[in-house]
Amino acid sequence: MHYSNLLGASAITVSILMAGCAQSRQVPFNESSFAGYGGSGSGTIKGTAYTVLRDNETTRIATSKATIKLMPANAYTEEIVTRRFFNRTKLERPDPAFAKYVRRVHPDDDEGHFTFSHVPAGTYYVSSHLHWTYPSSYTDADGVTWDSESGIDQWIYSKVAVGKGQTVHVEDWSQGK
């Protein structure tokens, strides 16, 4: 076998393996289902991005480094919420036309307060991917205890409806796995 044929075979193998990493979408992108969401409106969506830690006693607040996303609620985005946010399924990249309908903001402060202004009336998903670390330790096979940090990441999301001139506050967050 020639060296060039081996390179071609390797490229095909890598392509097949990479394709297996992301699952295909079940709902096709339909731009007409985003009608009315691409422009500017008079609505406002405000909130505080946070998640409740597993001990249910401590609240983790998003930092100003978090990204809060706002996307219209429809069948295409419902698949993102249920498969990606809730079930942590890695999906293939969205249709490039989808990007113009997704708004992004960073929280105003380290407590996670955010605002989306000039939002057209409609129903939306608000989401964020939160990541934080906490101190932990482990003991090795020799009985030595080592201090370390453990990381946790969590998708949070909420479905909200906003009318013309209305301000909506995001108060309840659902948490993915």
Side-chain angles (χ1 to χ4, degrees), residues 113-133:
H113 297 104
F114 65 89
T115 302
F116 288 98
S117 301
H118 310 290
V119 176
T123 305
Y124 295 87
Y125 283 109
V126 182
S127 67
S128 185
H129 185 232
L130 305 178
H131 179 79
W132 65 96
T133 59

Side-chain angles (χ1 to χ4, degrees), residues 41-44 119-122 161-168:
S42 58
T44 302
V119 176
V162 61
K164 290 181 180 179
Q166 183 181 22
T167 297
V168 175

